[in-house]
Amino acid sequence: MADDQMGASQLRQRYGKGGSAADGELSASQLRARYNIPSNSPGWASSGAGGKQDGGVPMVAVAGVAVAIILLLVWFASASA
């Protein structure tokens, strides 16, 4: 019987905590549901306890500094040649 033909109680017996399906047969989403683990959200690795996600601003600043250094090196190289 396919999962989409099972009733809710049958699905809970199969996939719920202590269910008949082995962990190796479950998808990541089903494992998270079985063990009550929250799903990953975008930016989960960079967000702090408050959920603040500001990883883009420092990245843009580093890229801007890198471009400025490259432009200065090119300018000094062309001025000394």
Side-chain angles (χ1 to χ4, degrees):
M1 179 184 295
D3 286 348
D4 59 349
Q5 297 173 352
M6 294 175 122
S9 63
Q10 292 173 314
L11 289 170
R12 280 191 295 274
Q13 288 172 354
R14 178 155 171 77
Y15 297 120
K17 195 162 189 164
S20 61
D23 286 351
E25 298 175 19
L26 302 178
S27 68
S29 177
Q30 290 168 328
L31 282 170
R32 285 193 299 267
R34 176 179 272 188
Y35 295 106
N36 198 23
I37 298 171
S39 64
N40 296 338
S41 60
W44 64 272
S46 63
S47 64
K52 184 179 175 186
Q53 298 177 3
D54 59 353
V57 174
M59 192 179 311
V60 170
V62 169
V65 169
V67 169
I69 290 172
I70 291 170
L71 289 175
L72 283 173
L73 289 174
V74 169
W75 183 69
F76 281 127
S78 65
S80 64

